[in-house]
């Protein structure tokens, strides 16, 4: 999932300072799971904004709403009535959701979270990066452990000289991804794969070729495909 | 603000905090009527939003009265409550509020005397702090 963390309160309060009526919008997907922007966090942030206005002696009205998903226009359409009543929006979705809301309504939309990475839960309250969306998955040859996301240097043929006792030189808390890969290949009896050198990676599918887009012709309407290729 | 009587909300665990309050009553030990008790099955269920809402609605102080550490009826609910209190204290600090308006307390069911004493002390502390900004705003609106 996409992970996020709430922005410092003062930054959010700074964004909305000029406005008197705002809408705080959450998302029921990834940011709910990582406890950054779900319904509960919408309530907490809205409450904090109200407490701040009480302290500042300023009147501010805060509306709350949480969408099933903020990165789909169909769901963001549901904000039309509320968006028409407010001066600005604070979105607690990831960057994708924030931009979708901003693209649909002609009012300022501010981020309430910092979107961090694509990660998995290690235990309750702890998420770790697992994927960088390189567009050419190599988990099939690395024992299911990603050297792009989990090696500090994203090297294709590791480990490097900074691997000491299974840890990365950047921190004793960071596992050496290539040590993990080797251990996993040994566990699977697939050590031979380690001998195969991986060629220099083509980073264009990873974003090096500009903003990426997926077009599924079997799903997208022909009108949209035609416009897109025009 | 000499005659200021704070509104205080106490979320009390059914098994310990609430029973300690009950014990205080049974033993005829009085504690300030400023403290309004909300009985909960376990303080682990008192979420950060409940503390925030109490403050938002005009409570001048809020505290959680849980079981002693290690004695939670549901294993570690009281430890979860501590985490929520700490989170809200941090939020209040960020907002320029006094974090002392939120507190965590632990009692066994037999600690009626201590419950009453803690209620008295907390009430005095909140009196010294004065009305919360939200309760001031509420009273102005009225």
């Amino acid at each position: 999932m996409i992970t996020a963390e709430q922005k410092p309160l003062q930054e959010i309060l700074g964004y909305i300072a000029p406005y008197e009526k705002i809408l705080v919008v959450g998302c029921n997907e990834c940011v709910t799971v990582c406890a950054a922007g779900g319904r509960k966090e919408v309530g907490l942030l809205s409450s904090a904004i109200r407490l701040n206005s009480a302290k500042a002696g300023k009147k501010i009205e805060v509306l709350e709403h949480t969408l099933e998903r903020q990165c789909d226009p169909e769901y963001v359409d549901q904000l039309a009535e509320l968006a028409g009543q407010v001066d600005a929006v604070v979105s607690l979705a990831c960057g994708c959701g924030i931009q979708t809301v901003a693209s649909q309504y002609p009012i300022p939309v501010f981020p309430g979270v910092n979107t961090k990475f694509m990660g998995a839960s290690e235990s309750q309250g702890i998420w770790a990066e697992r994927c960088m969306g390189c567009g050419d998955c190599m988990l099939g040859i690395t024992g299911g452990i990603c050297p792009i996301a989990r090696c500090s240097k994203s090297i294709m043929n590791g480990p490097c000289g900074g691997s000491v006792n299974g840890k990365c030189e950047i921190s004793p808390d960071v596992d050496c991804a290539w040590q993990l890969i080797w251990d996993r290949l040994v566990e699977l009896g697939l050590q031979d794969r380690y001998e195969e050198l991986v060629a220099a990676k083509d980073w264009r599918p990873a974003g090096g070729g500009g903003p990426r887009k997926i077009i599924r012709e079997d799903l997208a309407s022909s009108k949209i495909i035609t416009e897109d290729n025009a | 603000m000499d005659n200021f009587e704070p509104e205080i909300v106490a979320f009390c665990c059914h098994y310990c905090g609430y029973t300690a309050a009950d014990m205080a009553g049974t033993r005829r030990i009085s504690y300030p009527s400023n403290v309004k008790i909300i009985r909960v099955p376990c303080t682990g269920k008192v979420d950060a939003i409940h503390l925030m809402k109490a403050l938002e609605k005009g409570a001048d102080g809020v505290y959680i009265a849980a079981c002693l550490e290690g004695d939670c009826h549901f294993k570690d609910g009281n430890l979860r409550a501590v985490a929520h209190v700490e989170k809200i204290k941090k939020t209040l600090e960020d907002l320029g509020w006094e974090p002392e308006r939120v507190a965590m307390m632990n009692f066994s069911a037999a600690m009626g005397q201590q419950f009453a004493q803690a209620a008295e002390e907390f009430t005095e502390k909140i009196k010294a702090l004065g009305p919360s900004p939200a309760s001031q705003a509420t009273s102005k609106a009225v």
Side-chain angles (χ1 to χ4, degrees), chain A residues 22 176 180 204:
Chain A
I22 63 155
C176 167
L180 295 176
R204 283 172 297 181

Side-chain angles (χ1 to χ4, degrees), chain A residues 10 40 43 47 50-51 55, chain B residues 47 49 52 56 94 96-97:
Chain A
Q10 288 303 327
K40 187 183 281 188
S47 200
R50 292 186 193 106
L51 292 193
K55 173 85 177 170
Chain B
D47 198 87
I49 190 68
M52 288 293 276
E56 189 187 321
D94 289 346
W97 282 49

